[in-house]
Amino acid sequence: MRLTTKGRFAVTAMIDLGMRHQRGPVTLAGISDRQRISLSYLEQLFGRLRRQGIVDSVRGPGGGYTLARPMTEITVADIIRAVDEPIDATQCGGLGNCHDDRECMTHDLWMSLNARIYDYLDSVHLAELVQQQLDKPEQCAGKKHEHRRVVGSADLKVAANG
Amino acid sequence: MRLTTKGRFAVTAMIDLGMRHQRGPVTLAGISDRQRISLSYLEQLFGRLRRQGIVDSVRGPGGGYTLARPMTEITVADIIRAVDEPIDATQCGGLGNCHDDRECMTHDLWMSLNARIYDYLDSVHLAELVQQQLDKPEQCAGKKHEHRRVVGSADLKVAANG
DNA sequence: TAATAGTTGACCAAAATAATCAGGATTAGT
DNA sequence: ACTAATCCTGATTATTTTGGTCAACTATTA
Ligand code: FES
Ligand code: FES
Protein backbone atom coordinates (compact mmCIF):
# COMPACT_ATOMS: atom_id res chain seq x y z
CA MET A 1 0.00 0.00 0.00
CA ARG A 2 1.27 3.33 -1.00
CA LEU A 3 -0.52 6.60 -0.75
CA THR A 4 0.97 9.43 -2.71
CA THR A 5 -0.19 12.19 -4.98
CA LYS A 6 -0.46 9.61 -7.70
CA GLY A 7 -3.31 7.82 -6.02
CA ARG A 8 -4.84 11.09 -5.01
CA PHE A 9 -4.81 12.42 -8.54
CA ALA A 10 -6.49 9.26 -9.64
CA VAL A 11 -9.21 9.63 -7.03
CA THR A 12 -9.72 13.25 -7.96
CA ALA A 13 -9.99 12.40 -11.63
CA MET A 14 -12.38 9.57 -10.93
CA ILE A 15 -14.66 11.88 -9.01
CA ASP A 16 -14.61 14.31 -11.88
CA LEU A 17 -15.51 11.46 -14.15
CA GLY A 18 -18.17 10.22 -11.80
CA MET A 19 -19.80 13.63 -11.72
CA ARG A 20 -20.34 13.81 -15.45
CA HIS A 21 -20.28 10.32 -16.86
CA GLN A 22 -24.01 10.39 -17.35
CA ARG A 23 -23.58 12.76 -20.24
CA GLY A 24 -21.48 10.39 -22.25
CA PRO A 25 -17.76 9.71 -22.33
CA VAL A 26 -15.56 12.21 -20.55
CA THR A 27 -12.33 13.27 -22.19
CA LEU A 28 -9.08 13.38 -20.34
CA ALA A 29 -8.46 16.80 -21.80
CA GLY A 30 -11.51 18.01 -19.93
CA ILE A 31 -10.41 16.47 -16.66
CA SER A 32 -6.93 17.86 -17.18
CA ASP A 33 -8.36 21.30 -17.66
CA ARG A 34 -10.76 21.18 -14.74
CA GLN A 35 -8.51 19.51 -12.20
CA ARG A 36 -5.24 20.94 -13.42
CA ILE A 37 -3.59 17.58 -13.85
CA SER A 38 -1.14 16.98 -16.67
CA LEU A 39 -2.81 15.27 -19.60
CA SER A 40 0.11 12.92 -20.08
CA TYR A 41 -0.13 11.89 -16.49
CA LEU A 42 -3.84 11.31 -16.71
CA GLU A 43 -3.34 9.13 -19.73
CA GLN A 44 -0.97 6.96 -17.81
CA LEU A 45 -3.28 6.75 -14.82
CA PHE A 46 -6.35 5.95 -16.88
CA GLY A 47 -4.41 3.37 -18.82
CA ARG A 48 -4.04 1.46 -15.61
CA LEU A 49 -7.59 2.12 -14.52
CA ARG A 50 -8.78 0.72 -17.81
CA ARG A 51 -6.64 -2.41 -17.57
CA GLN A 52 -8.00 -2.98 -14.09
CA GLY A 53 -11.53 -2.84 -15.43
CA ILE A 54 -12.55 0.24 -13.52
CA VAL A 55 -13.18 2.43 -16.53
CA ASP A 56 -13.96 1.83 -20.17
CA SER A 57 -12.52 3.78 -23.04
CA VAL A 58 -14.01 4.95 -26.30
CA ARG A 59 -11.54 6.02 -28.90
CA GLY A 60 -11.91 8.52 -31.62
CA PRO A 61 -13.86 11.76 -31.76
CA GLY A 62 -16.64 11.97 -29.23
CA GLY A 63 -14.83 9.36 -27.21
CA GLY A 64 -13.39 9.44 -23.77
CA TYR A 65 -13.71 7.44 -20.62
CA THR A 66 -16.72 6.11 -18.83
CA LEU A 67 -17.25 4.09 -15.70
CA ALA A 68 -17.14 0.36 -16.17
CA ARG A 69 -19.18 -0.26 -13.03
CA PRO A 70 -21.69 1.64 -10.97
CA MET A 71 -20.11 4.09 -8.61
CA THR A 72 -21.34 2.20 -5.63
CA GLU A 73 -19.13 -0.68 -6.61
CA ILE A 74 -15.94 1.32 -6.95
CA THR A 75 -14.00 2.00 -3.80
CA VAL A 76 -11.13 4.32 -3.13
CA ALA A 77 -8.95 1.33 -2.52
CA ASP A 78 -9.80 0.02 -5.96
CA ILE A 79 -8.57 3.21 -7.54
CA ILE A 80 -5.39 3.39 -5.52
CA ARG A 81 -4.67 -0.27 -6.08
CA ALA A 82 -5.03 0.25 -9.80
CA VAL A 83 -2.66 3.15 -10.25
CA ASP A 84 -0.26 2.63 -7.37
CA GLU A 85 0.81 -0.91 -7.72
CA PRO A 86 0.94 -2.39 -4.27
CA ILE A 87 4.13 -3.14 -2.50
CA ASP A 88 4.46 -6.86 -2.48
CA ALA A 89 5.14 -7.33 1.17
CA THR A 90 8.47 -6.44 2.68
CA GLN A 91 12.07 -6.87 1.75
CA CYS A 92 11.51 -10.58 1.47
CA GLY A 93 9.26 -9.90 -1.50
CA GLY A 94 6.99 -12.80 -0.70
CA LEU A 95 9.77 -15.31 -0.80
CA GLY A 96 10.50 -15.51 2.86
CA ASN A 97 14.21 -15.14 2.53
CA CYS A 98 14.44 -14.25 6.15
CA HIS A 99 16.40 -16.91 7.91
CA ASP A 100 15.43 -16.19 11.47
CA ASP A 101 12.17 -15.83 13.26
CA ARG A 102 12.40 -12.20 14.11
CA GLU A 103 12.55 -10.75 10.62
CA CYS A 104 9.13 -12.00 9.79
CA MET A 105 7.72 -9.50 12.19
CA THR A 106 8.23 -6.92 9.52
CA HIS A 107 6.37 -8.98 7.04
CA ASP A 108 3.31 -9.62 9.14
CA LEU A 109 3.39 -6.15 10.46
CA TRP A 110 3.22 -4.51 7.11
CA MET A 111 0.67 -6.93 5.88
CA SER A 112 -1.63 -6.30 8.79
CA LEU A 113 -1.14 -2.58 8.69
CA ASN A 114 -1.84 -2.65 4.97
CA ALA A 115 -4.91 -4.72 5.54
CA ARG A 116 -6.26 -2.31 8.10
CA ILE A 117 -5.77 0.68 5.87
CA TYR A 118 -7.17 -1.11 2.87
CA ASP A 119 -10.06 -2.26 4.95
CA TYR A 120 -10.89 1.33 5.63
CA LEU A 121 -10.32 2.60 2.10
CA ASP A 122 -12.45 -0.24 0.82
CA SER A 123 -15.33 1.10 2.83
CA VAL A 124 -15.28 4.43 1.03
CA HIS A 125 -17.13 4.27 -2.25
CA LEU A 126 -16.81 6.58 -5.17
CA ALA A 127 -20.52 7.29 -4.98
CA GLU A 128 -20.08 8.81 -1.54
CA LEU A 129 -17.34 11.13 -2.65
CA VAL A 130 -19.23 12.23 -5.72
CA GLN A 131 -22.35 12.84 -3.69
CA GLN A 132 -20.30 14.75 -1.18
CA GLN A 133 -19.21 17.07 -3.94
CA LEU A 134 -22.68 17.44 -5.38
CA ASP A 135 -24.13 18.16 -1.98
CA LYS A 136 -21.94 21.16 -1.56
CA PRO A 137 -23.75 24.36 -2.35
CA GLU A 138 -21.89 26.29 -4.95
CA GLN A 139 -19.03 26.90 -2.61
CA CYS A 140 -16.98 28.91 -4.98
CA ALA A 141 -19.43 29.71 -7.70
CA GLY A 142 -17.69 32.28 -9.76
CA LYS A 143 -17.29 34.72 -6.92
CA LYS A 144 -15.39 34.64 -3.72
CA HIS A 145 -15.43 31.20 -2.32
CA GLU A 146 -15.63 30.13 1.21
CA HIS A 147 -14.55 26.76 2.41
CA ARG A 148 -16.61 24.99 4.92
CA ARG A 149 -14.92 22.90 7.51
CA VAL A 150 -16.21 19.58 6.47
CA VAL A 151 -13.34 17.97 8.22
CA GLY A 152 -12.86 18.36 11.85
CA SER A 153 -9.26 17.64 12.58
CA ALA A 154 -7.28 19.47 10.00
CA ASP A 155 -6.49 23.07 10.57
CA LEU A 156 -7.89 24.32 7.36
CA LYS A 157 -6.73 27.81 6.95
CA VAL A 158 -7.90 29.31 3.75
CA ALA A 159 -7.32 32.83 2.69
CA ALA A 160 -10.33 33.66 0.64
CA ASN A 161 -9.58 36.72 -1.33
CA GLY A 162 -12.21 39.34 -1.23
CA MET B 1 -0.60 12.76 4.14
CA ARG B 2 1.81 10.44 2.52
CA LEU B 3 2.21 6.79 3.13
CA THR B 4 5.36 5.24 1.79
CA THR B 5 7.99 2.81 2.92
CA LYS B 6 9.49 5.64 4.90
CA GLY B 7 6.58 5.82 7.28
CA ARG B 8 6.32 2.08 7.34
CA PHE B 9 9.95 1.64 8.28
CA ALA B 10 9.41 4.10 11.06
CA VAL B 11 6.41 2.19 12.35
CA THR B 12 8.29 -1.08 12.13
CA ALA B 13 11.24 0.34 14.01
CA MET B 14 8.97 1.84 16.64
CA ILE B 15 7.35 -1.52 17.25
CA ASP B 16 10.75 -3.11 17.63
CA LEU B 17 11.58 -0.38 20.09
CA GLY B 18 8.29 -0.80 21.87
CA MET B 19 8.86 -4.50 22.27
CA ARG B 20 12.13 -4.09 24.18
CA HIS B 21 12.23 -0.66 25.67
CA GLN B 22 11.55 -2.10 29.09
CA ARG B 23 15.07 -3.48 29.16
CA GLY B 24 16.69 -0.12 28.76
CA PRO B 25 17.62 1.94 25.73
CA VAL B 26 17.54 0.20 22.39
CA THR B 27 20.33 0.79 19.91
CA LEU B 28 19.66 1.59 16.30
CA ALA B 29 22.26 -0.99 15.34
CA GLY B 30 20.07 -3.62 16.95
CA ILE B 31 16.96 -2.45 15.16
CA SER B 32 18.88 -2.27 11.92
CA ASP B 33 20.02 -5.84 12.36
CA ARG B 34 16.67 -7.24 13.39
CA GLN B 35 14.49 -5.38 10.92
CA ARG B 36 17.00 -5.14 8.10
CA ILE B 37 16.71 -1.41 7.78
CA SER B 38 19.69 0.67 6.80
CA LEU B 39 21.36 2.15 9.85
CA SER B 40 21.82 5.49 8.15
CA TYR B 41 18.18 5.57 7.33
CA LEU B 42 17.20 4.74 10.89
CA GLU B 43 19.38 7.52 12.20
CA GLN B 44 17.60 9.94 9.95
CA LEU B 45 14.18 8.67 10.95
CA PHE B 46 14.88 8.65 14.65
CA GLY B 47 16.35 12.10 14.45
CA ARG B 48 12.91 13.29 13.42
CA LEU B 49 11.13 11.12 15.91
CA ARG B 50 13.29 12.60 18.65
CA ARG B 51 12.64 16.18 17.57
CA GLN B 52 8.94 15.45 17.56
CA GLY B 53 9.15 14.24 21.14
CA ILE B 54 8.15 10.70 20.40
CA VAL B 55 11.40 9.09 21.52
CA ASP B 56 14.23 10.07 23.84
CA SER B 57 17.88 9.46 23.18
CA VAL B 58 20.69 8.42 25.51
CA ARG B 59 24.18 8.90 24.23
CA GLY B 60 27.28 7.00 25.07
CA PRO B 61 27.84 3.34 25.96
CA GLY B 62 24.69 1.58 27.03
CA GLY B 63 22.75 4.29 25.28
CA GLY B 64 20.16 4.13 22.57
CA TYR B 65 16.59 5.21 22.17
CA THR B 66 13.66 4.90 24.49
CA LEU B 67 10.03 5.89 24.27
CA ALA B 68 9.25 9.40 25.41
CA ARG B 69 5.65 8.54 26.15
CA PRO B 70 3.68 5.45 27.06
CA MET B 71 2.84 3.32 24.07
CA THR B 72 -0.84 3.93 24.54
CA GLU B 73 -0.26 7.59 23.79
CA ILE B 74 1.61 7.07 20.54
CA THR B 75 -0.43 6.56 17.42
CA VAL B 76 0.58 5.40 13.99
CA ALA B 77 -0.37 8.79 12.65
CA ASP B 78 2.06 10.40 15.10
CA ILE B 79 4.90 8.33 13.73
CA ILE B 80 4.03 8.91 10.10
CA ARG B 81 3.51 12.59 10.69
CA ALA B 82 6.93 12.80 12.29
CA VAL B 83 8.97 11.18 9.55
CA ASP B 84 6.87 11.88 6.49
CA GLU B 85 6.19 15.55 6.47
CA PRO B 86 2.62 16.02 5.40
CA ILE B 87 1.56 17.39 2.08
CA ASP B 88 0.10 20.79 2.62
CA ALA B 89 -3.16 20.33 0.82
CA THR B 90 -3.27 20.51 -2.93
CA GLN B 91 -1.63 22.55 -5.57
CA CYS B 92 -3.04 25.67 -4.00
CA GLY B 93 -1.18 24.97 -0.79
CA GLY B 94 -3.95 26.30 1.40
CA LEU B 95 -3.90 29.68 -0.24
CA GLY B 96 -6.76 29.18 -2.60
CA ASN B 97 -4.97 30.43 -5.62
CA CYS B 98 -7.45 28.75 -7.85
CA HIS B 99 -9.27 31.34 -9.81
CA ASP B 100 -12.25 29.38 -10.95
CA ASP B 101 -15.01 27.54 -9.22
CA ARG B 102 -14.22 23.99 -10.08
CA GLU B 103 -10.68 23.64 -8.83
CA CYS B 104 -11.65 23.88 -5.23
CA MET B 105 -13.13 20.44 -5.45
CA THR B 106 -9.62 19.11 -5.31
CA HIS B 107 -8.87 21.09 -2.24
CA ASP B 108 -11.79 19.96 -0.16
CA LEU B 109 -11.57 16.51 -1.49
CA TRP B 110 -8.00 15.94 -0.47
CA MET B 111 -8.48 17.60 2.84
CA SER B 112 -11.41 15.43 3.74
CA LEU B 113 -9.76 12.29 2.46
CA ASN B 114 -6.65 13.14 4.43
CA ALA B 115 -8.71 13.78 7.51
CA ARG B 116 -10.50 10.49 7.19
CA ILE B 117 -7.29 8.55 6.84
CA TYR B 118 -5.59 10.41 9.64
CA ASP B 119 -8.64 9.91 11.76
CA TYR B 120 -8.24 6.23 11.30
CA LEU B 121 -4.50 6.08 11.78
CA ASP B 122 -4.88 8.16 14.91
CA SER B 123 -7.04 5.45 16.34
CA VAL B 124 -4.32 2.84 16.05
CA HIS B 125 -1.96 2.97 18.98
CA LEU B 126 1.54 1.61 19.17
CA ALA B 127 0.54 -0.49 22.15
CA GLU B 128 -1.93 -2.43 20.01
CA LEU B 129 0.63 -3.21 17.36
CA VAL B 130 3.23 -4.29 19.89
CA GLN B 131 0.72 -6.49 21.66
CA GLN B 132 -0.32 -7.92 18.33
CA GLN B 133 3.25 -9.00 17.71
CA LEU B 134 3.72 -10.44 21.17
CA ASP B 135 0.53 -12.42 20.83
CA LYS B 136 1.73 -14.16 17.72
CA PRO B 137 3.05 -17.66 18.23
CA GLU B 138 6.23 -18.60 16.41
CA GLN B 139 4.75 -18.11 13.01
CA CYS B 140 7.74 -18.78 10.86
CA ALA B 141 10.23 -20.44 13.12
CA GLY B 142 12.68 -21.95 10.72
CA LYS B 143 9.93 -23.16 8.49
CA LYS B 144 9.53 -22.29 4.88
CA HIS B 145 6.42 -20.39 4.16
CA GLU B 146 4.92 -19.03 1.05
CA HIS B 147 3.52 -15.61 0.65
CA ARG B 148 0.69 -14.60 -1.55
CA ARG B 149 -0.94 -11.47 -2.57
CA VAL B 150 -2.97 -11.30 0.52
CA VAL B 151 -3.79 -7.71 -0.06
CA GLY B 152 -7.18 -8.48 -1.42
CA SER B 153 -9.72 -7.19 0.95
CA ALA B 154 -10.75 -9.76 3.46
CA ASP B 155 -7.92 -12.20 3.42
CA LEU B 156 -5.95 -10.99 6.34
CA LYS B 157 -7.94 -10.12 9.36
CA VAL B 158 -6.35 -8.28 12.17
CA ALA B 159 -7.12 -9.13 15.71
CA ALA B 160 -6.80 -5.79 17.34
CA ASN B 161 -7.08 -5.49 21.07
CA GLY B 162 -6.31 -9.08 21.45
C1' DT C 1 42.54 12.00 36.18
C1' DA C 2 43.17 10.41 31.48
C1' DA C 3 42.40 7.36 27.80
C1' DT C 4 39.21 4.31 25.35
C1' DA C 5 35.20 2.67 23.31
C1' DG C 6 30.22 2.77 22.27
C1' DT C 7 26.70 5.49 20.95
C1' DT C 8 23.84 9.49 19.08
C1' DG C 9 23.76 14.10 16.10
C1' DA C 10 24.30 16.51 12.09
C1' DC C 11 25.52 16.90 7.58
C1' DC C 12 26.66 15.80 2.62
C1' DA C 13 26.74 13.19 -1.53
C1' DA C 14 25.94 9.36 -4.41
C1' DA C 15 22.93 5.57 -5.92
C1' DA C 16 18.41 3.62 -6.56
C1' DT C 17 13.73 4.25 -7.29
C1' DA C 18 9.48 6.59 -8.34
C1' DA C 19 6.83 10.45 -10.14
C1' DT C 20 5.93 13.43 -13.95
C1' DC C 21 5.96 14.93 -18.45
C1' DA C 22 6.69 14.95 -23.83
C1' DG C 23 6.24 13.13 -28.20
C1' DG C 24 4.69 10.09 -31.41
C1' DA C 25 1.68 6.01 -32.83
C1' DT C 26 -2.95 4.12 -33.18
C1' DT C 27 -7.99 4.12 -33.61
C1' DA C 28 -12.34 5.92 -35.07
C1' DG C 29 -15.68 9.35 -36.59
C1' DT C 30 -16.80 13.03 -40.09
C1' DA D 1 -7.90 12.88 -45.65
C1' DC D 2 -8.49 15.24 -41.44
C1' DT D 3 -9.31 15.51 -36.71
C1' DA D 4 -10.30 14.05 -31.96
C1' DA D 5 -9.37 11.19 -28.93
C1' DT D 6 -6.94 7.07 -26.64
C1' DC D 7 -2.61 4.42 -26.36
C1' DC D 8 2.36 3.52 -25.92
C1' DT D 9 7.32 4.24 -24.97
C1' DG D 10 11.00 6.81 -23.59
C1' DA D 11 13.17 11.06 -21.29
C1' DT D 12 13.34 14.19 -17.53
C1' DT D 13 12.76 15.47 -12.92
C1' DA D 14 11.94 14.62 -8.00
C1' DT D 15 12.14 11.75 -4.06
C1' DT D 16 13.73 8.06 -1.43
C1' DT D 17 17.40 5.29 0.33
C1' DT D 18 21.99 4.33 1.38
C1' DG D 19 26.78 5.35 2.56
C1' DG D 20 30.17 8.10 4.61
C1' DT D 21 32.56 11.50 7.74
C1' DC D 22 33.16 13.95 11.80
C1' DA D 23 31.84 15.92 16.29
C1' DA D 24 29.57 15.43 20.98
C1' DC D 25 28.51 12.82 24.78
C1' DT D 26 29.10 9.19 28.48
C1' DA D 27 30.26 4.75 30.79
C1' DT D 28 34.08 1.87 31.50
C1' DT D 29 38.86 1.04 32.25
C1' DA D 30 43.68 1.95 33.38
S1 FES E 1 9.05 -14.06 5.64
FE1 FES E 1 8.44 -12.17 4.74
S2 FES E 1 9.56 -10.86 6.03
FE2 FES E 1 10.11 -12.72 6.93
S1 FES F 1 -8.86 26.70 -2.97
FE1 FES F 1 -7.49 25.03 -2.56
S2 FES F 1 -7.70 24.00 -4.44
FE2 FES F 1 -9.04 25.65 -4.86
Side-chain angles (χ1 to χ4, degrees), chain B residues 12-154:
Chain B
T12 302
M14 284 296 290
I15 291 175
D16 186 286
L17 173 55
M19 285 174 76
R20 49 194 97 224
H21 77 119
Q22 297 170 341
R23 288 169 285 189
V26 180
T27 69
L28 291 189
I31 298 178
S32 170
D33 193 45
R34 285 187 295 271
Q35 308 299 336
R36 300 294 150 91
I37 304 173
S38 154
L39 179 57
S40 311
Y41 204 25
L42 281 177
E43 286 169 350
Q44 177 182 323
L45 297 179
F46 273 78
R48 291 180 182 235
L49 290 171
R50 181 181 58 84
R51 284 181 223 109
Q52 293 291 324
I54 296 177
V55 299
D56 280 335
S57 65
V58 181
R59 303 178 82 158
Y65 284 91
T66 181
L67 294 175
R69 302 177 150 277
M71 288 190 295
T72 51
E73 295 177 16
I74 298 176
T75 71
V76 174
D78 287 335
I79 299 169
I80 292 175
R81 250 190 297 258
V83 301
D84 231 347
E85 54 214 283
I87 300 173
D88 211 340
T90 63
Q91 45 263 39
C92 80
L95 295 170
N97 62 349
C98 308
H99 35 280
D100 216 63
D101 54 344
R102 301 205 189 93
E103 281 74 50
C104 300
M105 191 195 89
T106 310
H107 184 96
D108 278 335
L109 180 61
W110 285 28
M111 293 299 278
S112 63
L113 196 61
N114 262 11
R116 292 181 82 159
I117 295 174
Y118 263 126
D119 209 43
Y120 167 67
L121 289 180
D122 260 318
S123 73
V124 182
H125 295 264
L126 183 59
E128 294 176 46
L129 297 176
V130 169
Q131 192 60 41
Q132 181 177 322
Q133 288 304 315
L134 294 174
D135 281 350
K136 284 212 177 96
E138 307 303 317
Q139 50 187 8
C140 34
K143 193 78 70 106
K144 183 174 186 291
H145 48 286
E146 58 183 286
H147 292 280
R148 282 259 151 87
R149 307 168 81 65
V150 209
V151 269
S153 70

Side-chain angles (χ1 to χ4, degrees), chain A residues 1 3 8 12 34-35 81 91 104-108 110 112 114 116 120 133 139-140 151 157, chain B residues 1 3 8 12 34-35 94 101 103 105-106 108 110 112 114 116 120 132-133 139-140 147 152:
Chain A
M1 175 68 184
L3 190 54
R8 248 176 276 260
T12 302
R34 285 187 295 270
Q35 308 299 336
R81 251 192 296 260
Q91 47 264 42
C104 301
M105 191 196 90
T106 309
H107 183 97
D108 279 335
W110 284 28
S112 63
N114 263 11
R116 293 181 81 160
Y120 166 68
Q133 289 302 317
Q139 49 184 18
C140 14
V151 293
K157 49 178 191 292
Chain B
M1 173 71 183
L3 189 54
R8 247 178 275 261
T12 302
R34 285 187 295 271
Q35 308 299 336
D101 54 344
E103 281 74 50
M105 191 195 89
T106 310
D108 278 335
W110 285 28
S112 63
N114 262 11
R116 292 181 82 159
Y120 167 67
Q132 181 177 322
Q133 288 304 315
Q139 50 187 8
C140 34
H147 292 280

Side-chain angles (χ1 to χ4, degrees), chain A residues 43 48-49 87-88 123 129 137:
Chain A
E43 286 170 350
R48 291 182 183 233
L49 290 170
I87 300 175
D88 210 341
S123 72
L129 297 176

Side-chain angles (χ1 to χ4, degrees), chain A residues 77-112:
Chain A
D78 287 335
I79 299 169
I80 293 175
R81 251 192 296 260
V83 300
D84 231 346
E85 55 212 285
I87 300 175
D88 210 341
T90 62
Q91 47 264 42
C92 81
L95 295 170
N97 62 349
C98 309
H99 34 281
D100 215 63
D101 55 343
R102 298 206 190 94
E103 281 74 48
C104 301
M105 191 196 90
T106 309
H107 183 97
D108 279 335
L109 180 60
W110 284 28
M111 294 297 279
S112 63

